[in-house]
Amino acid sequence: MMLLRRAASAAALLATVLPVTLASPAHADGSAPACRAPASVPLDAEQARLTDPRTTALIERAGFGDFVRRFPAALCTSRTAAEAERLLDSWGQALWQASVRRAQGQRPGGDLAPGDDRPLYWARLSMTAALARWQPAFAVDRAALRTRFEDASRGLADNAFRAAPGVRRVFISGFDPFGLDAEIRRANPSGSAALQLNGRQVTLADGSRAEIRAVVLPVRYADFDSGIVERAFTPRLAAGAAPADVITTVSQGYPGIFTLEDWAGRARSADPYPDNARALSGGTREHPVTAPGLGPGPEFIRTTLPADAVTAAVQAPYPVLLNSDVTEIPAGGTAPVDRTDGPTPGSRAVAGGGGGYLSNEVAYRSNRLRAELAPQLPGGHLHTPVLTGLPADPQLLTGPEFERNESAITAEVRAVLEHAAVRR
């Protein structure tokens, strides 16, 4: 706890929200840092994209360069595995807090628009690359340390509701940028909305108040297999001091429209489209597969968000539609069938309204938990419009149209939540 308090103090005092008290190159007792020269280790497919200089520019132009530069030295101050765990927790939380504060205009630095979600993504990835190269003089579970850092830097740790009397609690998730092999400058408006809305109190459509808390999830099958969705949502759904009253997963969807997804399917069927680590789901439209690690549940789960109220009230600047499309293998059949009116009894899921990719899966996993732990809660999935407006020049990282679109999407996500979270 002391290390976390010291990091929090640094965050309050420094514009960088950097836990500088953990970055000393030597210990007070004069001993050498528990670290050897970095080894040449292979990076994963996601980290390998850091060789593109535009990724560094996105970090620097948000004022996050110190996180990346000082992190290797901070790692070398750890003398034990337990110290390393605390350090990874602290730096992850500091990066998350800095990103939230920047997105909400509370942390100046850099010339990118405050709501830009890309600096968090690339800074986190750069720091995980440093963790991969770190060679401590003691045994560590490197995968477990990365999980701790990822969770903390995504809002899964130390991000509880304030439990204010009479204030509704809305929990949402967004996603990292994806499709980066085709366009490395891509952002994800769902991640931007999560950063801009985390911790905010909003006025709902009926005049009551609500607090929003958010996490940003990776676009990686392996993390879903290891339970990151369950780690994020279970504390918000289980009985406790301040559980959520509404949950909504959010991802980037279709051009020009918002969609509330009526149905989430149990299957993966997105191949040949890869995730950010270039991994495949293992399932196709003709041969869907069940995602690993899922608890028991039906083939399809229907939203319990008040779709009629939302679609009647929120239609600008983008239309908001209820999407009841699914793809199923009907009972007794062998071939997939597309439907526009939801699944038929006894069918096997191929794709929900969110397809057979991770946007569908986050909806299924979170709402399967909701049905198990808090079935009375409204829950579902919201697809945002595709974020467009990047300049044609590939060296330009942002532009007025891109920034306007990003802001407009976040404003409409907020408006959707302000209607969806009204007590009924």
Side-chain angles (χ1 to χ4, degrees), residues 113-127:
D116 200 317
D117 65 308
R118 297 172 294 175
L120 170 60
Y121 174 75
W122 292 110
R124 182 197 300 115
L125 203 58
S126 296
M127 294 165 78

Side-chain angles (χ1 to χ4, degrees), residues 71-90:
F71 185 59
L75 283 171
C76 288
T77 66
S78 298
R79 292 174 292 185
T80 66
E83 281 190 8
E85 290 176 353
R86 292 191 291 270
L87 186 142
L88 269 295
D89 289 344
S90 179

Side-chain angles (χ1 to χ4, degrees), residues 96-111:
W96 171 256
Q97 291 162 6
S99 299
V100 168
R101 289 183 61 211
R102 185 179 188 281
Q104 298 179 13
Q106 301 167 6
R107 179 185 186 272
D111 63 346

Side-chain angles (χ1 to χ4, degrees), residues 175-191:
F175 272 111
D176 286 344
F178 65 100
L180 300 168
D181 286 331
E183 172 55 88
I184 204 162
R185 297 177 297 164
R186 280 182 177 153
N188 193 321
S190 69

Side-chain angles (χ1 to χ4, degrees), residues 154-172:
R154 294 179 177 281
L156 273 70
D158 195 25
N159 192 21
F161 290 105
R162 298 186 184 93
V167 176
R168 298 272 283 169
R169 297 179 291 271
V170 181
F171 185 64
I172 68 172

Side-chain angles (χ1 to χ4, degrees), residues 43-50 117-118 120-122 124-125 128 146 150 154 174-188 190 216-224 252 270-281 357-359:
L43 300 180
D44 64 33
E46 195 171 20
Q47 294 163 339
R49 297 190 187 98
L50 292 163
D117 65 308
R118 297 172 294 175
L120 170 60
Y121 174 75
W122 292 110
R124 182 197 300 115
L125 203 58
T128 65
R146 178 168 178 175
E150 292 258 3
R154 294 179 177 281
F175 272 111
D176 286 344
F178 65 100
L180 300 168
D181 286 331
E183 172 55 88
I184 204 162
R185 297 177 297 164
R186 280 182 177 153
N188 193 321
S190 69
V216 177
L217 298 174
V219 184
R220 296 189 298 247
Y221 287 111
D223 294 76
F224 274 53
Q252 183 175 230
D271 295 355
Y273 193 83
D275 68 4
N276 275 351
R278 301 198 183 106
L280 297 175
S281 72
Y357 195 51
L358 291 169
S359 56

Side-chain angles (χ1 to χ4, degrees), residues 345-365:
S347 66
R348 182 183 177 190
V350 175
Y357 195 51
L358 291 169
S359 56
N360 168 78
E361 188 169 327
V362 73
Y364 186 91
R365 284 182 180 267

